[in-house]
Amino acid sequence: RTMRIEGDRDQLMREGDAAWLELCAVLDAAHADVPLHDPDSPEWTSRYVYTHFWRMHTGSTHAIRDELGTGEPYQWSDLDENELNERNAAIDRVISPEDARRVAIESRDDYRALVASLTEEQFESIGRRHGDDLLGGHYRGHLDYIRAASEG
């Protein structure tokens, strides 16, 4: 779950903001229950992509706060990423599309504010390792999946 992100923090955050806005526009234009990714992964609807990012934003925020408090690297779950995504998809089906969007946006706002508040030293030692869910890479990955499926 951790990946060290290289580059200028402000530039990375601007790129992440742009990728998030682009992803939200794509998700908002889609029906909440129509699969957006590969046909072999039907759970990736706009509702589920939003709840997925709510969980990622919240998890990364927790990891950063935990590391700030303990000074120790955060220990993520041992669950396989696909297993975790499947489990969460089953749980998150009860969340309305509107609530899924709202919690994703709110959790991203909290996550972004936390990363922006880190000192340069904290960002270098902690923020870069927990930044993929904010700094654009993860958002662009889902945009690429959605584009590939629509061209498929």
Side-chain angles (χ1 to χ4, degrees):
R1 276 266 312 135
T2 59
M3 175 187 307
R4 185 168 171 79
I5 308 298
E6 298 299 330
D8 174 73
R9 175 181 11 189
D10 292 337
Q11 180 63 32
L12 289 168
M13 290 184 79
R14 283 191 298 274
E15 290 171 8
D17 292 346
W20 175 247
L21 291 174
E22 183 180 355
L23 179 60
C24 288
V26 169
L27 297 177
D28 292 348
H31 185 279
D33 294 313
V34 172
L36 298 173
H37 283 206
D38 185 291
D40 292 334
S41 58
E43 71 273 5
W44 290 100
T45 63
S46 64
R47 173 199 330 244
Y48 182 59
V49 174
Y50 272 132
T51 59
H52 171 73
F53 277 108
W54 161 56
R55 290 180 180 280
M56 298 298 100
H57 297 153
T58 302
S60 293
T61 299
H62 176 77
I64 291 170
R65 287 190 176 131
D66 187 75
E67 284 193 34
L68 289 171
T70 66
E72 298 294 322
Y74 184 75
Q75 297 301 311
W76 290 97
S77 167
D78 291 355
L79 282 178
D80 170 74
E81 190 174 323
N82 290 326
E83 248 183 284
L84 186 62
N85 285 335
E86 286 176 24
R87 185 190 78 181
N88 290 339
I91 294 168
D92 294 342
R93 281 189 179 90
V94 299
I95 299 173
S96 73
E98 298 79 18
D99 284 344
R101 183 180 192 279
R102 180 184 52 76
V103 296
I105 290 169
E106 288 173 358
S107 63
R108 184 180 189 279
D109 290 346
D110 291 345
Y111 179 29
R112 189 185 194 291
L114 176 61
V115 171
S117 75
L118 296 175
T119 66
E120 198 57 39
E121 181 182 319
Q122 291 168 331
F123 181 72
E124 289 300 322
S125 65
I126 299 171
R128 285 191 186 279
R129 288 185 295 105
H130 299 291
D132 191 48
D133 295 323
L134 175 70
L135 303 175
H138 196 165
Y139 306 142
R140 285 190 297 274
H142 282 271
L143 283 165
D144 290 347
Y145 292 141
I146 293 167
R147 284 185 194 110
S150 69
E151 294 167 2

